[in-house]
Amino acid sequence: MLEELKKKSFKSSLLLSVILLITGLALVIIFAKDAFFATAGYVQFETLKPDEIKNQLVDVNLVENFGWYIEEYEENTKTHTTRTTDYYYVIYTGASDDLETDYKFMTIKVPASCGNKMDDMTENTYNGILSDPISFSGKIQKLSDEEYGYFVEFWQEMGFSDDEIEEMTLPYYINAYDSKGSQNGLYIFIFLFGIALIIWGIVRIIKGSKGAYLKGFRQDIATIGCTEVSVESDLNSAFSYAKKDKIKIGRLFTYYDLGSTSPRAIPNKKIMWAYQNTTTHRTNGIKTGTTYSVMFFVDGYKSAFNVSVPNEATAQEILTKVNEMFPWVIVGYSDDLKKLFNKDRAQFLQLRYNKVDHTPVEPGFEGFNGQYETPENQGM
């Protein structure tokens, strides 16, 4: 019986495990290079030749630029006011002994707060004056099709042909960061988070293959000293509810989340109280849905078992069966019962739990005496 549950538990756990592995691998692959440069140090942009410029982290000290061609802004949806966030300025590459033949024009995207300094630099550039260096750190990225279209328009307005523009430009930009330290921390965090996801996925697979997710189920059946044989028999004869028999009510246990990663078994003879719990969900005061569950309060457990059901009809079917089979269980909710349960548990138990014999009542099992098969009485 447990072997079958183990297989189902492992199969159920695989989907999330695989998702964790794939997500972790993707994060590690995507951010490994960034995390490396964030740790080992950025490349100095001026040392890169045009054919060496690619997706990487760089430091750059600008002394010239040729003006901006894109203003990026954000809009407040309530007031409809706009605020400029970034500018795209034209710069050229370095690392050439012969700047007449071996350099290209590309872009740097800078925060709007740098706009005034960059505009002053633009004016100096066109006047043949080198400005004091402005330092940036960022990541080289490829311009989107829309961004590159604006970049091309900038040069077309200056009288260059498409062939000339293609020859003299690169479709890349340096995405300058507001804070190099914060961005480095983010790269390293995401990389390490990816590794953590991979480890988590592997651990889940190992745990699932060993049946570790059945720990709660094993503890449940151990509360009344049942053997696997008796539980298997109980499961086979149990009444089924919900799709794929996810909930079953047997004589020994009420089983739920069957077929899931972590199924559970509620010992019926320890159930004190059961009732339907209905939760109405609202968003901004508007009803968005209703969920149903059956609450089982069980002697020896600090927290109630909250068994989710698809609808109210299923909840009522389960409660009806509990009421018919287990006469020691109080079925139904009232504020008075809740108050009594919380304030005077002993008196609550005197209502039924301590006054009624804990023998299941079921047609065909009138002679069932409530004895549960244990290692001690097995074969008696």
Side-chain angles (χ1 to χ4, degrees), residues 283-303:
T283 301
N284 298 325
I286 300 174
K287 181 178 177 181
T288 56
T290 304
T291 55
Y292 302 92
S293 63
V294 177
M295 306 294 295
F296 289 93
F297 291 84
V298 183
D299 190 18
Y301 289 81
K302 293 181 179 180
S303 301

Side-chain angles (χ1 to χ4, degrees), residues 93-230:
T93 62
S96 174
D97 295 331
D98 183 4
L99 289 179
E100 294 297 325
T101 60
D102 193 14
Y103 74 95
K104 303 278 188 179
F105 290 97
M106 55 179 286
T107 302
I108 184 168
K109 177 183 176 182
V110 302
S113 58
C114 300
N116 290 335
K117 289 183 179 180
M118 291 292 285
D119 288 341
D120 291 341
M121 181 184 288
T122 302
E123 185 175 350
N124 288 339
T125 300
Y126 284 113
N127 288 327
I129 303 172
L130 290 180
S131 301
D132 292 333
I134 302 178
S135 299
F136 295 100
S137 297
K139 184 175 183 179
I140 297 178
Q141 299 174 240
K142 192 166 186 178
L143 291 167
S144 68
D145 290 342
E146 182 180 9
E147 291 166 341
Y148 186 66
Y150 288 120
F151 187 46
V152 170
E153 286 181 12
F154 174 87
W155 294 107
Q156 288 174 338
E157 290 175 358
M158 297 181 68
F160 291 93
S161 68
D162 290 345
D163 290 339
E164 289 174 323
I165 294 170
E166 184 175 357
E167 176 65 24
M168 61 191 278
T169 65
L170 291 176
Y172 294 98
Y173 71 101
I174 302 173
N175 186 11
Y177 302 139
D178 288 318
S179 171
K180 181 178 179 180
S182 298
Q183 197 65 40
N184 285 350
L186 180 62
Y187 286 140
I188 294 171
F189 171 79
I190 295 177
F191 176 75
L192 294 177
F193 182 65
I195 292 178
L197 291 181
I198 293 173
I199 295 173
W200 186 12
I202 293 173
V203 169
R204 280 182 57 87
I205 291 175
I206 295 173
K207 288 179 64 177
S209 65
K210 293 183 177 181
Y213 292 113
L214 295 180
K215 180 180 179 182
F217 187 89
R218 290 190 175 96
Q219 290 176 341
D220 293 336
I221 65 176
T223 58
I224 57 174
C226 285
T227 64
E228 290 188 24
V229 174
S230 61

Side-chain angles (χ1 to χ4, degrees), residues 235 237-242 244-249 317:
L235 261 173
S237 61
F239 296 91
S240 298
Y241 302 89
K244 298 183 180 180
D245 300 334
K246 289 186 177 180
I247 303 172
K248 287 190 173 186
I249 298 179
E317 287 178 16

